[in-house]
Amino acid sequence: MAFNRNTTPSRNIVAEILKSAKSDFLYLFGGERLSRDEVLQVIEGINAMGKSIKAFINRPRDLGQVPGNLFYLDSAEDLEIAESFGRENSAHIINLMIVHNPKRS
């Protein structure tokens, strides 16, 4: 998040809240929060470059770790599967990173 000379956030806070409210999940990519629509655009763009998005599904520490919480996202269907896993495991944070997907080799 960028700050102006008055050290106040330059992003529109209302837009951030609305973006978060559109989904059950907090999507994080490189420390930035994305909307679900933005995640789908990233998946499409990265997929076109022959790479994948790797997603870690996280939940609050007091609920413990979730086994099998790693997903490769190459399509909207892959994201839906990851989200379904998150809902079933009370996990609402999806951390995303660009990777080479071994399934593509």
Side-chain angles (χ1 to χ4, degrees), residues 52-91:
S52 294
I53 295 291
K54 183 164 63 172
F56 292 99
I57 313 298
N58 300 92
R59 67 181 181 174
R61 283 195 177 133
D62 59 340
L63 294 178
Q65 290 297 319
V66 183
N69 66 336
L70 170 64
F71 293 85
Y72 288 98
L73 308 180
D74 293 315
S75 66
E77 292 79 22
D78 292 341
L79 181 59
E80 290 169 10
I81 291 167
E83 291 168 336
S84 177
F85 177 88
R87 283 185 201 94
E88 291 167 7
N89 288 284
S90 299

Side-chain angles (χ1 to χ4, degrees), residues 13-74:
I13 300 301
V14 174
E16 286 293 318
I17 292 168
L18 291 174
K19 185 188 294 186
S20 298
K22 288 171 71 174
S23 176
D24 296 335
F25 295 96
L26 174 62
Y27 302 96
L28 298 175
F29 182 76
E32 291 289 322
R33 182 182 298 181
L34 300 179
S35 70
R36 188 175 194 279
D37 291 339
E38 289 169 325
V39 171
L40 291 171
Q41 290 172 4
V42 169
I43 290 170
E44 185 177 308
I46 296 301
N47 198 6
M49 294 172 19
K51 302 269 187 192
S52 294
I53 295 291
K54 183 164 63 172
F56 292 99
I57 313 298
N58 300 92
R59 67 181 181 174
R61 283 195 177 133
D62 59 340
L63 294 178
Q65 290 297 319
V66 183
N69 66 336
L70 170 64
F71 293 85
Y72 288 98
L73 308 180
D74 293 315

